[in-house]
């Protein structure tokens, strides 16, 4: 629909755009309340050794589970939160919760490596973000082996010198820093020289299509090759079936993560899982 405005210009009134803006506005109001009333929770997805099949680490994945209504995906609400300061309140909560949970599991004897946390672009640009990160990790009596960071390529490209220096400091102290969704961003390989990272997570789109598409296989192989040549750990994301797992293994990926092994789950699910794993390995040895 179009109508003539006072100045004689044609103004388009787009119902779809209007609905979308309204939807986002309502959603961000609900999200703000959700943070206040504690409707956020962390799920954890195991990262499994490609060689031994053992659970080594976990990735923390945020969930918003409203008291009423359906769960909202972080793919929908993180970009929304990114438009305001709300992302910082959410990010602070995630960091605190993950540290608390890691310390809690240590105290109760759960055998586990790191919990890796996702950071968005705006979070990483906030001043003092790395001091805050380290302070929180320390406050829970944790260190670089306990909590890691995941950043996408595009977030890294947009990082300024100060941010890169902050990341480098964490890297020098031994913290693990992964490039998430690797291969889908706009960086060139030369950036790998610049970014202080320890791991590459091959985006699940390549892993998904690798069994059928030789191009995806080639990209995966090349990623593993360059990653290993640079001394980085390589993780295959989104492994959903046996075929994809076999390929990831043949290509010498170090770690695998995906629904074929485990879906993201709440803390009690992880506890049951790890208790079973310990029992299984005892069965084997006894
Ligand atoms: P991501 O960091 O790349 O996380 C992996 C996503 O892939 C997760 O979606 C996970 O549930 C999903 N996934 C894992 N294995 C499989 C599989 O085998 N098949 C398929 N189809 N999917 C799989 P999720 O939990 O919906 O998260 C989406 C994105 O939201 C994340 O992508 C991350 O970018 C962002 N996100 C999640 N939690 C946080 C957070 O605490 N902070 C920030 N800043 N971003 C977060
Ligand atoms: Mg991630
Ligand atoms: Mg990813
Ligand atoms: Mg992603």
């Amino acid at each position: 629909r179009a109508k003539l405005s006072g100045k004689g210009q044609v103004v388009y009134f787009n119902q779809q755009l209007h609905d979308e803006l309204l939807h986002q506005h309502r959603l961000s109001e609900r999200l703000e309340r959700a943070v206040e009333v504690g409707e956020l929770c962390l799920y954890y997805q195991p990262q499994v050794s490609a060689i031994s099949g053992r659970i080594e680490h976990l990735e923390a994945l945020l969930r918003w589970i409203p008291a009423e209504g359906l769960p909202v995906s972080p793919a929908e609400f993180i970009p929304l939160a990114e438009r305001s300061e709300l992302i910082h309140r959410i990010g602070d909560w995630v960091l605190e919760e993950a540290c608390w949970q890691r310390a809690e599991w240590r105290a109760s004897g759960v055998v586990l490596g790191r919990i890796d946390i996702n950071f968005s672009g705006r979070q990483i640009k906030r001043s003092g973000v790395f001091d805050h990160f380290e302070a929180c990790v320390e406050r829970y009596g944790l260190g670089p082996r306990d909590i890691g960071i995941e950043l996408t390529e595009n977030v890294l490209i947009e990082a300024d010198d100060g941010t890169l220096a902050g990341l480098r400091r964490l890297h020098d102290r031994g913290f693990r820093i992964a490039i998430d969704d690797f291969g889908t961003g706009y960086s060139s390989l030369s950036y790998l020289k610049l970014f202080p990272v320890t791991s590459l997570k091959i985006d699940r789109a390549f892993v998904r299509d690798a069994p059928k598409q030789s191009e995806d296989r080639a990209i995966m192989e090349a990623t593993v090759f360059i990653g290993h040549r640079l001394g980085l750990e390589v993780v295959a994301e989104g492994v959903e079936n046996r075929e994809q797992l076999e390929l990831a293994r043949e290509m010498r990926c170090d770690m695998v993560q995906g629904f074929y092994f485990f879906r993201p789950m709440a803390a009690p699910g992880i506890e049951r899982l790890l208790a079973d794993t310990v029992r299984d390995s005892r069965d084997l040895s006894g």
Side-chain angles (χ1 to χ4, degrees):
R1 268 178 291 165
K3 69 173 187 188
L4 226 51
S5 81
K7 289 174 193 142
Q9 296 157 324
V10 176
V11 175
Y12 290 94
F13 177 72
N14 184 326
Q15 186 68 43
Q16 226 173 332
L17 181 65
H18 175 264
D19 290 351
E20 177 58 25
L21 286 174
L22 191 66
H23 170 72
Q24 292 197 349
H25 179 71
R26 291 207 180 117
L27 198 60
S28 65
E29 275 182 358
R30 282 177 57 211
L31 181 56
E32 230 176 302
R33 263 188 52 74
V35 178
E36 278 158 24
V37 302
E39 287 178 348
L40 296 185
C41 109
L42 284 186
Y43 274 27
Y44 301 92
Q45 187 180 33
Q47 302 185 33
V48 175
S49 160
I51 300 156
S52 70
R54 268 187 32 183
I55 297 172
E56 303 273 346
H57 312 290
L58 303 174
E59 176 177 4
L61 293 161
L62 190 56
R63 292 290 178 268
W64 172 14
I65 305 174
E68 285 152 47
L70 299 168
V72 187
S73 158
E76 189 173 354
F77 71 79
I78 292 286
L80 193 65
E82 274 262 287
R83 295 191 191 168
S84 72
E85 298 290 309
L86 194 55
I87 189 66
H88 298 315
R89 278 171 59 203
I90 293 177
D92 288 349
W93 182 84
V94 168
L95 175 62
E96 186 89 24
E97 178 73 8
C99 288
W100 174 83
Q101 186 63 76
R102 185 67 197 82
E104 180 71 16
W105 278 332
R106 162 136 323 137
S108 55
V110 172
V111 178
L112 181 70
R114 296 179 323 262
I115 294 178
D116 292 335
I117 303 174
N118 292 283
F119 274 78
S120 68
R122 191 156 172 172
Q123 284 178 271
I124 216 80
K125 285 192 193 110
R126 188 190 194 184
S127 87
V129 58
F130 302 113
D131 293 332
H132 178 67
F133 172 83
E134 269 199 282
C136 189
V137 170
E138 272 170 30
R139 185 150 38 82
Y140 283 91
L142 304 171
R145 287 164 166 273
D146 301 309
I147 301 286
I149 290 179
E150 294 191 4
L151 301 160
T152 63
E153 249 170 290
N154 291 342
V155 166
L156 280 162
I157 296 170
E158 286 164 18
D160 60 21
D161 290 348
T163 305
L164 285 180
L167 277 175
R168 190 166 304 283
R169 210 184 60 218
L170 286 188
H171 180 265
D172 291 346
R173 304 224 169 127
F175 281 96
R176 307 291 295 179
I177 303 169
I179 306 186
D180 207 350
D181 305 345
F182 188 79
T184 60
Y186 296 105
S187 72
S188 72
L189 288 177
S190 67
Y191 279 101
L192 287 175
K193 218 168 66 172
L194 210 72
F195 297 150
V197 297
T198 59
S199 331
L200 303 180
K201 298 189 82 174
I202 303 175
D203 190 74
R204 70 165 185 262
F206 302 113
V207 177
R208 182 191 59 216
D209 297 335
K212 294 201 170 56
Q213 301 279 339
S214 63
E215 292 89 347
D216 296 277
R217 262 197 317 278
I219 293 168
M220 260 184 93
E221 263 165 0
T223 305
V224 178
F225 180 79
I226 190 129
H228 284 168
R229 286 299 303 266
L230 293 169
L232 306 176
E233 181 180 70
V234 182
V235 185
E237 288 195 290
V239 173
E240 291 184 348
N241 58 48
R242 187 84 217 169
E243 262 183 303
Q244 294 162 347
L245 171 63
E246 293 301 339
L247 272 177
R249 279 202 176 128
E250 275 167 31
M251 293 180 190
R252 302 274 183 271
C253 286
D254 303 288
M255 308 281 288
V256 282
Q257 186 179 347
F259 295 172
Y260 182 67
F261 295 94
F262 308 103
R263 290 187 174 253
M265 59 189 105
I270 293 290
E271 283 158 18
R272 278 192 295 274
L273 197 64
L274 291 173
D276 289 347
T277 314
V278 169
R279 211 178 315 119
D280 288 350
S281 54
R282 268 203 224 113
D283 288 350
L284 286 176
S285 60

